[in-house]
């Protein structure tokens, strides 16, 4: 894929949640290999936009075009780490693997994945013992194992303290660039966005917001 090609092109005239108009006149493009960060207030529609791109929600009055070779390889990292407590770290990571592998190959895959996110030796840990930063690293390792071409990050560092947030932001950027993954990153934190992104966009730059009173959307 040529890095001048657009992975995602968005043109939404209006997005409603029930009777409420969440935003209007949304226009956004993302190039191959590019990382953008979206900054905006709570309730403006950032999470809704990510869900629309992922196909988890309808796009309202408008169109979201995802490059054909990317459409089936979209990953989503949520604000709170989604891990299964009855599985250890290794088995949570292996949920991102879609190949049939021997036990030895699985162990190698897990070890390689944990090394990528600086968690070597964590394979047998219970996920309930992990810190917030460690849990998000496990989620990141699982997401990368699925070989996404587009990764959507919905405030994945918001629950971490400042130092942990900055450290993991740097790691996320390095991993995305290393694997040439296009990404849309949502955050309230300008410093975090400045670490992660090639391009930072204020919400008001890409659409016309309404009063945005939906508390479930960040």
């Amino acid at each position: 894929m040529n890095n001048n090609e657009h992975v995602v092109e968005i043109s939404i005239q209006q997005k409603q949640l029930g009777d409420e108009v969440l935003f209007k006149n949304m226009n956004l493009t993302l190039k191959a290999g590019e990382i953008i960060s979206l900054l905006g207030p709570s309730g403006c529609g950032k999470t809704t936009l990510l869900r629309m791109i992922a196909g988890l929600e309808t796009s309202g009055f408008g169109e979201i075009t995802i490059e054909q070779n990317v459409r089936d390889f979209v990953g989503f990292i949520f604000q709170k780490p989604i891990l299964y407590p009855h599985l250890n770290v290794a088995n949570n990571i292996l949920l991102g693997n879609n190949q049939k592998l021997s036990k030895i190959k699985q162990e190698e895959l897990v070890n390689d994945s944990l090394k990528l996110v600086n968690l070597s030796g964590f394979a047998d840990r219970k996920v309930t013992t992990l810190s917030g930063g460690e849990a998000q690293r496990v989620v990141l390792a699982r997401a990368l194992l699925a070989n996404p071409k587009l990764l959507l990050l919905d405030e994945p560092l918001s629950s971490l303290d400042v130092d942990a947030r900055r450290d993991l932001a740097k790691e996320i950027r390095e991993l995305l660039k290393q694997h040439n993954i296009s990404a849309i990153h949502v955050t309230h934190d300008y410093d975090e966005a400045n670490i992660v992104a090639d391009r930072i966009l204020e919400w008001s730059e890409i659409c016309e917001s309404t009063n945005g009173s939906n508390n479930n959307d960040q």
Side-chain angles (χ1 to χ4, degrees):
M1 186 184 296
N2 189 310
N3 278 2
N4 290 322
E5 293 179 358
H6 288 153
V7 171
V8 178
E9 296 185 59
I10 300 169
S11 179
I12 304 293
Q13 287 75 52
Q14 184 166 294
K15 173 59 181 175
Q16 290 184 219
L17 291 177
D19 295 330
E20 178 190 356
V21 177
L22 190 57
F23 56 78
K24 297 190 283 188
N25 301 322
M26 161 74 67
N27 290 283
L28 177 66
T29 59
L30 174 69
K31 292 181 180 179
E34 184 181 26
I35 306 168
I36 63 173
S37 285
L38 300 182
L39 291 170
S42 295
C44 68
K46 301 185 302 299
T47 294
T48 297
L49 176 62
L50 294 189
R51 290 177 57 83
M52 289 160 57
I53 295 169
L56 302 175
E57 189 162 328
T58 60
S59 57
F61 300 101
E63 186 175 354
I64 295 177
T65 302
I66 301 178
E67 206 275 333
Q68 186 173 0
N69 294 330
V70 174
R71 192 176 298 118
D72 294 331
F73 299 93
V74 179
F76 202 133
I77 295 182
F78 297 89
Q79 185 172 0
K80 293 182 179 179
I82 297 179
L83 295 171
Y84 296 90
H86 64 288
L87 300 176
N88 63 14
V89 166
N91 286 322
N92 267 279
I93 289 175
L94 286 171
L95 293 174
N97 174 50
N98 55 13
Q99 306 174 60
K100 289 187 177 181
L101 300 173
S102 67
K103 188 173 181 180
I104 291 176
K105 288 293 184 183
Q106 287 181 355
E107 289 177 358
E108 290 177 355
L109 198 61
V110 167
N111 289 335
D112 289 345
S113 296
L114 288 172
K115 186 176 180 180
L116 269 180
V117 296
N118 296 318
L119 287 181
S120 294
F122 276 62
D124 295 325
R125 293 275 189 99
K126 294 182 178 180
V127 296
T128 53
T129 68
L130 301 177
S131 69
E134 290 166 348
Q136 280 295 34
R137 282 183 168 85
V138 172
V139 171
L140 181 60
R142 182 176 63 200
L144 293 175
L145 188 56
N147 295 314
K149 295 188 177 181
L150 170 63
L151 190 60
L152 308 173
L153 301 111
D154 185 14
E155 299 196 58
L157 311 180
S158 61
S159 63
L160 307 183
D161 63 43
V162 173
D163 290 338
R165 189 182 308 164
R166 301 296 182 267
D167 289 345
L168 190 48
K170 291 175 184 176
E171 291 178 35
I172 287 173
R173 177 176 174 81
E174 289 171 3
L175 288 168
L176 292 174
K177 289 300 181 182
Q178 180 182 338
H179 292 81
N180 195 34
I181 298 172
S182 307
I184 300 176
H185 165 246
V186 161
T187 183
H188 291 290
D189 187 330
Y190 181 86
D191 291 337
E192 177 188 319
N194 197 41
I195 293 170
V196 172
D198 300 315
R199 183 161 53 111
I200 299 173
L201 295 172
E202 295 281 353
W203 190 251
S204 58
E205 294 180 61
I206 61 171
C207 72
E208 177 186 342
S209 294
T210 63
N211 58 10
S213 60
N214 177 28
N215 292 329
N216 293 322
D217 185 80
Q218 300 296 318

